[in-house]
Amino acid sequence: MDGFEAIAASAVPLTGGYGGETFAVSAAGEDAVLKLYAKRPGRAAVDAALLRLVRGLLPVPRVLDAQVDQVDGNPTYVLTERLPGVNLEIFLVDADDRQRERIGEQLGELLVRLSGMPFLTFGEFVGSGLAIESFGGDGLDEWLDRHVEALGLSRDQVENLRDVVAEAGDLTDSGVHRFCLVHSDFNPKNLLVDPATATVTGLIDWEFAHSGSPYGDLGNLLRFGGDPVLERAVLRVVRETGPDLGDRLVDRGRAADLWALIDLAARTGQNPVATAAHGLITRMADTGELSAGRPDPDVVH
């Protein structure tokens, strides 16, 4: 039995995420996390390189081992330490306002660090050298056209959604034009926190990270809204300590997030997040508004 088989034999599937490729294991006398890349074998090299690049700047796990080339039919993998803490999604269920504010401040700090890690071009990372390959030249209009059938909307709803896309385009064109490291799944299910101190201990699951908009991760975090105390703390820290991103941060974040939201909504039914995304896109299509009735965290009710 080779090393990979020995690790996999003791693997216990972890909850969280929807790929079914992450496992709790014991390696070298410590708790570890094994991530397999059966569907996207080339991504192992990218994830291992990213974790090594940002370690010490962001709360990411240490890479213990990685197999970035397929050997003897085994999938590529990355083995990391298991960070302490509980899932932030769970912690927030019973968190009070002070804890929410403290968490929000720390999330704002993480967003500032991410937006301050610049790249020269926009696109996906390739290989251990983190080369950047363009996603293609299509705009948001074309992106909607590619997914519109799967969204299952009426003709009037589609026309309203095109108005939303136009609004998002105007916000993008008038915003800051630079590229930075984008985690691309920056939300409570991918964050860990020490419940005793309300301290963020980990930012995990980097499989969608790319070079992109400095508004992207903010938009992901604010996607579904509903936690104004936390969100106001995030926005305050980003505005006060981060690189200047201009005005209308909430709207610009939502505009940057529309790409991912459309893609998710087109896969409704595959997992709870995709189904929630379809509900949000449907509300946008009903109202013709980017906000889709979501509360503005800057407005205190």
Side-chain angles (χ1 to χ4, degrees):
M1 179 179 289
D2 62 23
F4 172 82
E5 291 172 330
I7 292 172
S10 62
V12 177
L14 285 172
T15 58
Y18 304 106
E21 296 183 320
T22 305
F23 304 86
V25 301
S26 181
E30 63 179 301
D31 291 335
V33 173
L34 173 68
K35 187 171 183 64
L36 306 182
Y37 296 82
K39 297 177 182 177
R40 302 173 67 200
R43 186 68 196 192
V46 173
D47 284 4
L50 279 173
L51 291 176
R52 288 167 174 146
L53 175 69
V54 303
R55 181 158 172 81
L57 302 173
L58 296 167
V60 299
R62 177 169 45 95
V63 176
L64 303 176
D65 186 27
Q67 176 61 57
V68 299
D69 298 310
Q70 288 184 297
V71 178
D72 297 330
N74 286 324
T76 58
Y77 67 85
V78 176
L79 182 70
T80 64
E81 66 176 330
R82 187 167 185 179
L83 294 174
V86 300
N87 186 274
L88 178 55
E89 199 170 36
I90 295 172
F91 176 76
L92 289 175
V93 171
D94 296 315
D96 61 29
D97 282 357
R98 182 64 193 101
Q99 291 172 316
R100 287 184 137 77
E101 183 176 25
R102 176 168 168 74
I103 291 294
E105 291 168 348
Q106 294 170 77
L107 298 187
E109 292 169 2
L110 294 183
L111 290 173
V112 166
R113 292 181 205 173
L114 283 162
S115 66
M117 297 181 187
F119 290 93
L120 293 174
T121 57
F122 168 75
E124 61 182 329
F125 296 119
V126 179
S128 298
L130 299 179
I132 298 175
E133 189 173 276
S134 173
F135 286 120
D138 288 350
L140 192 52
D141 285 310
E142 291 79 11
W143 187 249
L144 175 58
D145 288 339
R146 286 171 57 183
H147 294 82
V148 69
E149 185 175 350
L151 294 175
L153 302 174
S154 70
R155 181 177 298 178
D156 287 344
Q157 286 177 315
V158 171
E159 289 307 308
N160 284 341
L161 196 53
R162 293 196 188 283
D163 291 339
V164 173
V165 165
E167 180 186 356
D170 290 342
L171 286 163
T172 299
D173 290 343
S174 61
V176 168
H177 292 274
R178 62 171 176 264
F179 307 115
C180 67
L181 179 60
V182 180
H183 179 274
S184 203
D185 210 5
F186 192 95
N187 55 67
K189 73 181 177 65
N190 289 323
L191 287 149
L192 302 175
V193 60
D194 177 353
T197 62
T199 301
V200 174
T201 58
L203 175 58
I204 58 176
D205 288 348
W206 286 74
E207 60 185 314
F208 301 114
H210 63 277
S211 171
S213 167
Y215 303 104
D217 282 331
L218 177 64
N220 189 295
L221 180 63
L222 301 180
R223 177 179 292 165
F224 297 117
D227 199 330
V229 173
L230 182 148
E231 292 164 6
R232 282 196 292 269
V234 168
L235 290 166
R236 183 179 68 253
V237 170
V238 170
R239 288 181 175 120
E240 292 178 356
T241 68
D244 183 17
L245 296 178
D247 61 356
R248 301 185 65 184
L249 276 185
V250 175
D251 291 336
R252 297 190 198 283
R254 289 170 175 169
D257 187 52
L258 195 53
W259 294 81
L261 194 62
I262 290 172
D263 180 60
L264 269 173
R267 292 183 273 126
T268 184
Q270 293 186 15
N271 60 63
V273 174
T275 300
H278 187 269
L280 181 52
I281 282 290
T282 300
R283 293 199 299 276
M284 290 182 182
D286 287 337
T287 62
E289 297 176 350
L290 183 61
S291 67
R294 288 172 287 181
D296 186 340
D298 280 325
V299 178
V300 180
H301 297 281

